Amino acid sequence: MDDLRSIRTLATVIVSTVGAVWVIRRTLKNRSRLPLPPGPKGLPLIGNLLDMPLDSSWEKYHAWCKQYDTDILYLNVAGKSMVILDTVEAANELLEKRSLIYSGRPRMPMVVELMGWDFNLGMMDYGNVWRKHRRLAQQTLHPSSSRPFRPHIVKATRNLLNLFLERPQDLERNLRHMVAETVIAVTYGLQVKKEDDLYFKIAEEGSGAMGRVASASTKYLVNAFPILKYVPEWVPGADFQRIAREGKVLAKNMVETPYSAANAAFEAGEAEPSFVSASLQKMKEGNEGDVYQEEIIKNSAGAVYAAGSRTTVSIVLSCLLALVKNPAILKKAQKELDTVLDSGSLPTFDDEPDLPYVTAVVNEAFRWRDVAPLAVPHKLSAEDEYKGYRIPAGSIVIANGWAMLHDEKIYPDPFTFNPERFFKDGKLDLETQRDPAHACWGFGRRICPGRFMGYSSVWLAVASIISTFDIEKPRDENGNEVEPQEEYNTAGLTIMAKPFAYELKPRSQEKAEVIRQSLSFST
């Protein structure tokens, strides 16, 4: 009797397995007959290679989507499938709901394999190694876990205000100093006091080298033909090997040097609260041993600066440009701050709930000039279907965040800087009015783990500058206002406002004195 049951069970398993295989094969066969998503017709062999935009590609992708009346665009770039998602609905359906197969990263030979950026969480392919790094970053940078790091942000912001008193015309330089000071303190608990500081310099050099190479990725044939990475440096035309070798040294310095100093401070019992000290403490206590390992902590710490430095500077710059061009918005934000803050005080994180208009200004800056219009591309690990279209396995999948944040159906008059759009019935409403966070921090399992701290840094910087300074259009020799230009560097993964005309000065001598006094309380 038992043998009969076993035979029946085995037969059931075999029939079920055969049936499942048949269904899967039939599904794949039917799917393979589906058309590819619409897109411009390419040439033999090279496909759409010659059609690819070299600058502001998000605008061209969006124009193609409108031309072909689709929210999912297909491009064949020299045999490589590329899919552009142009709407929130498409991004949510694929990158969020189907994140298991849409969370990979395309291969990046020049930056990752040759320049040594394989430590970077954002560039790692999806898998067990990525999951461990991601879990550490997620747990340490969560709002509740990262609250002890906030004093670092406050101190760097106060120092920024003082820099504006000393050199009001060095807008980007001052912001870069603030961000470096913030990120190095938050990540390692180390202090950056001057721009010739060791940690400031190696962070700028390492991140800068990667940024230059990434922004010119199409220039390097090794990205299209990875086998070229084995070509010796002395071979004519292999100058990319020298660039990669020099960049790898800078990347190693950026990861190793501040970590060694932070680890030494931790061992001596002198560490400031930071990403590294918090992680090392948990490793010492034996918490979650698969995550809290020294190599993972060191790699994750090195990735934090790379992720946060350029984005914060870009957002604050864009916000200040918008305020120069829209003085009425600046005055309204200043009035709100003056009403909420006591005389002689500067904004703190505790004031945020009482400053809805300032919060709306910050959110509009995130929407108006999205720092990473296309973010970092995803890679599809298995063939998929969407709206009757076939998406081939291995496709590079790009979410056009710029198109989503400038969708006139969601944001009327999307190219106008208008914080009022986030108010409903006189109250701040980031739910029904669509919080820009839905598209500016990435999607699915690859969403930025440092987004909460990144937003907080931007909010405090913007609120503090508005509270203490007037930033206005300059005037020519005849007293006429000079309209600042809205020009951006747009060739890389991130955008940055080019220098624009402005005048910045303390709102009063009292405000200037408040800034000076604040330094003694933030040291």
Short mmCIF file of all heavy atoms in Angstrom, two decimals, residues 15 27 47 77 118 134 154 163 173 186 200 208 218 238 273 326 342 353 368 377 387 391:
data_model
loop_
_atom_site.label_atom_id
_atom_site.label_comp_id
_atom_site.label_asym_id
_atom_site.label_seq_id
_atom_site.Cartn_x
_atom_site.Cartn_y
_atom_site.Cartn_z
N VAL A 15 4.07 14.52 -13.49
CA VAL A 15 3.06 15.16 -14.33
C VAL A 15 3.04 16.67 -14.09
O VAL A 15 2.98 17.48 -15.02
CB VAL A 15 1.66 14.56 -14.07
CG1 VAL A 15 0.59 15.40 -14.76
CG2 VAL A 15 1.61 13.13 -14.57
N THR A 27 4.69 29.84 -22.67
CA THR A 27 4.61 31.26 -22.36
C THR A 27 5.77 32.01 -23.00
O THR A 27 5.60 33.08 -23.59
CB THR A 27 4.64 31.48 -20.83
OG1 THR A 27 3.51 30.82 -20.25
CG2 THR A 27 4.58 32.97 -20.49
N GLY A 47 22.14 49.63 -35.29
CA GLY A 47 20.85 50.03 -34.72
C GLY A 47 20.71 51.53 -34.61
O GLY A 47 20.91 52.27 -35.57
N VAL A 77 21.10 49.73 -29.45
CA VAL A 77 22.37 50.44 -29.53
C VAL A 77 23.48 49.44 -29.80
O VAL A 77 23.99 48.79 -28.89
CB VAL A 77 22.65 51.23 -28.23
CG1 VAL A 77 23.91 52.06 -28.38
CG2 VAL A 77 21.46 52.11 -27.88
N ASP A 118 34.34 49.03 -7.78
CA ASP A 118 33.50 47.87 -7.46
C ASP A 118 33.07 47.89 -6.00
O ASP A 118 32.19 47.13 -5.59
CB ASP A 118 34.23 46.57 -7.77
CG ASP A 118 35.63 46.51 -7.16
OD1 ASP A 118 36.14 47.56 -6.72
OD2 ASP A 118 36.21 45.41 -7.12
N ARG A 134 23.76 46.77 0.93
CA ARG A 134 22.52 47.54 0.95
C ARG A 134 21.88 47.52 2.34
O ARG A 134 21.40 48.54 2.85
CB ARG A 134 21.54 46.96 -0.08
CG ARG A 134 20.13 47.50 -0.02
CD ARG A 134 20.04 48.89 -0.57
NE ARG A 134 18.72 49.45 -0.41
CZ ARG A 134 18.31 50.54 -1.04
NH1 ARG A 134 19.10 51.17 -1.87
NH2 ARG A 134 17.10 51.01 -0.84
N VAL A 154 24.29 70.18 11.14
CA VAL A 154 24.08 71.52 11.68
C VAL A 154 25.39 72.30 11.68
O VAL A 154 25.44 73.47 11.25
CB VAL A 154 23.49 71.44 13.11
CG1 VAL A 154 23.43 72.83 13.73
CG2 VAL A 154 22.10 70.80 13.08
N LEU A 163 31.11 81.05 5.65
CA LEU A 163 31.84 81.15 4.39
C LEU A 163 31.20 82.17 3.45
O LEU A 163 31.89 82.90 2.74
CB LEU A 163 31.90 79.78 3.70
CG LEU A 163 32.85 78.74 4.30
CD1 LEU A 163 32.70 77.41 3.58
CD2 LEU A 163 34.29 79.22 4.22
N ARG A 173 31.81 76.83 -4.66
CA ARG A 173 32.94 76.44 -3.82
C ARG A 173 32.52 76.31 -2.36
O ARG A 173 32.89 75.34 -1.67
CB ARG A 173 34.04 77.49 -3.96
CG ARG A 173 35.28 77.25 -3.13
CD ARG A 173 36.24 78.41 -3.28
NE ARG A 173 37.37 78.36 -2.36
CZ ARG A 173 38.17 79.37 -2.12
NH1 ARG A 173 37.98 80.53 -2.75
NH2 ARG A 173 39.17 79.26 -1.26
N VAL A 186 29.70 62.83 8.88
CA VAL A 186 28.62 61.84 9.07
C VAL A 186 29.14 60.43 8.82
O VAL A 186 28.80 59.49 9.55
CB VAL A 186 27.44 62.15 8.12
CG1 VAL A 186 26.48 60.97 8.03
CG2 VAL A 186 26.70 63.39 8.59
N PHE A 200 39.36 66.19 2.70
CA PHE A 200 38.65 66.96 1.69
C PHE A 200 39.28 66.73 0.31
O PHE A 200 38.60 66.49 -0.68
CB PHE A 200 38.69 68.45 2.04
CG PHE A 200 37.94 69.33 1.09
CD1 PHE A 200 36.61 69.64 1.32
CD2 PHE A 200 38.55 69.86 -0.03
CE1 PHE A 200 35.91 70.45 0.44
CE2 PHE A 200 37.87 70.67 -0.92
CZ PHE A 200 36.53 70.97 -0.68
N GLY A 208 35.97 63.21 -8.20
CA GLY A 208 36.10 64.00 -9.42
C GLY A 208 36.60 63.18 -10.59
O GLY A 208 36.11 63.32 -11.71
N THR A 218 30.91 57.24 -23.28
CA THR A 218 30.90 56.80 -24.68
C THR A 218 32.24 56.98 -25.35
O THR A 218 32.50 56.43 -26.43
CB THR A 218 29.82 57.57 -25.47
OG1 THR A 218 30.06 58.98 -25.33
CG2 THR A 218 28.44 57.26 -24.94
N ALA A 238 45.72 52.89 -26.13
CA ALA A 238 45.26 52.34 -24.84
C ALA A 238 45.48 53.32 -23.70
O ALA A 238 45.74 52.92 -22.56
CB ALA A 238 45.94 51.01 -24.55
N PRO A 273 30.14 60.18 16.80
CA PRO A 273 29.05 59.41 16.19
C PRO A 273 29.10 59.51 14.67
O PRO A 273 29.21 60.60 14.11
CB PRO A 273 27.79 60.10 16.73
CG PRO A 273 28.23 60.75 18.00
CD PRO A 273 29.65 61.18 17.76
N ASN A 326 13.19 84.54 -8.86
CA ASN A 326 11.83 84.71 -8.34
C ASN A 326 11.88 85.38 -6.96
O ASN A 326 11.67 84.72 -5.93
CB ASN A 326 11.13 83.35 -8.23
CG ASN A 326 10.96 82.67 -9.58
OD1 ASN A 326 10.00 82.92 -10.30
ND2 ASN A 326 11.90 81.79 -9.91
N ASP A 342 12.66 82.70 16.64
CA ASP A 342 12.92 83.77 17.59
C ASP A 342 14.02 84.67 17.05
O ASP A 342 14.89 84.23 16.29
CB ASP A 342 13.34 83.19 18.94
CG ASP A 342 12.24 82.39 19.60
OD1 ASP A 342 11.07 82.71 19.35
OD2 ASP A 342 12.55 81.44 20.34
N PRO A 353 8.39 71.30 10.81
CA PRO A 353 6.93 71.23 10.73
C PRO A 353 6.24 72.58 10.68
O PRO A 353 5.11 72.69 10.17
CB PRO A 353 6.55 70.45 12.01
CG PRO A 353 7.78 69.71 12.39
CD PRO A 353 8.91 70.60 12.01
N TRP A 368 12.05 70.69 -9.93
CA TRP A 368 12.33 71.62 -11.03
C TRP A 368 13.59 71.25 -11.79
O TRP A 368 13.63 71.29 -13.01
CB TRP A 368 12.42 73.03 -10.45
CG TRP A 368 12.61 74.13 -11.42
CD1 TRP A 368 11.78 74.49 -12.45
CD2 TRP A 368 13.71 75.06 -11.44
NE1 TRP A 368 12.29 75.58 -13.11
CE2 TRP A 368 13.47 75.96 -12.51
CE3 TRP A 368 14.85 75.23 -10.66
CZ2 TRP A 368 14.34 77.01 -12.81
CZ3 TRP A 368 15.71 76.27 -10.95
CH2 TRP A 368 15.46 77.15 -12.03
N PRO A 377 21.21 53.38 -14.64
CA PRO A 377 20.40 52.39 -15.35
C PRO A 377 20.25 51.08 -14.59
O PRO A 377 21.14 50.66 -13.85
CB PRO A 377 21.16 52.17 -16.66
CG PRO A 377 22.01 53.39 -16.82
CD PRO A 377 22.37 53.82 -15.43
N LYS A 387 2.42 45.59 -21.40
CA LYS A 387 1.46 46.18 -22.34
C LYS A 387 1.51 45.52 -23.71
O LYS A 387 1.39 46.19 -24.75
CB LYS A 387 1.68 47.69 -22.46
CG LYS A 387 1.28 48.48 -21.24
CD LYS A 387 1.32 49.97 -21.51
CE LYS A 387 0.76 50.77 -20.34
NZ LYS A 387 0.79 52.24 -20.57
N ILE A 391 10.10 42.60 -23.65
CA ILE A 391 11.31 43.27 -23.20
C ILE A 391 12.39 42.20 -23.05
O ILE A 391 12.30 41.33 -22.18
CB ILE A 391 11.09 44.00 -21.86
CG1 ILE A 391 9.87 44.92 -21.94
CG2 ILE A 391 12.33 44.80 -21.49
CD1 ILE A 391 9.56 45.64 -20.65
#
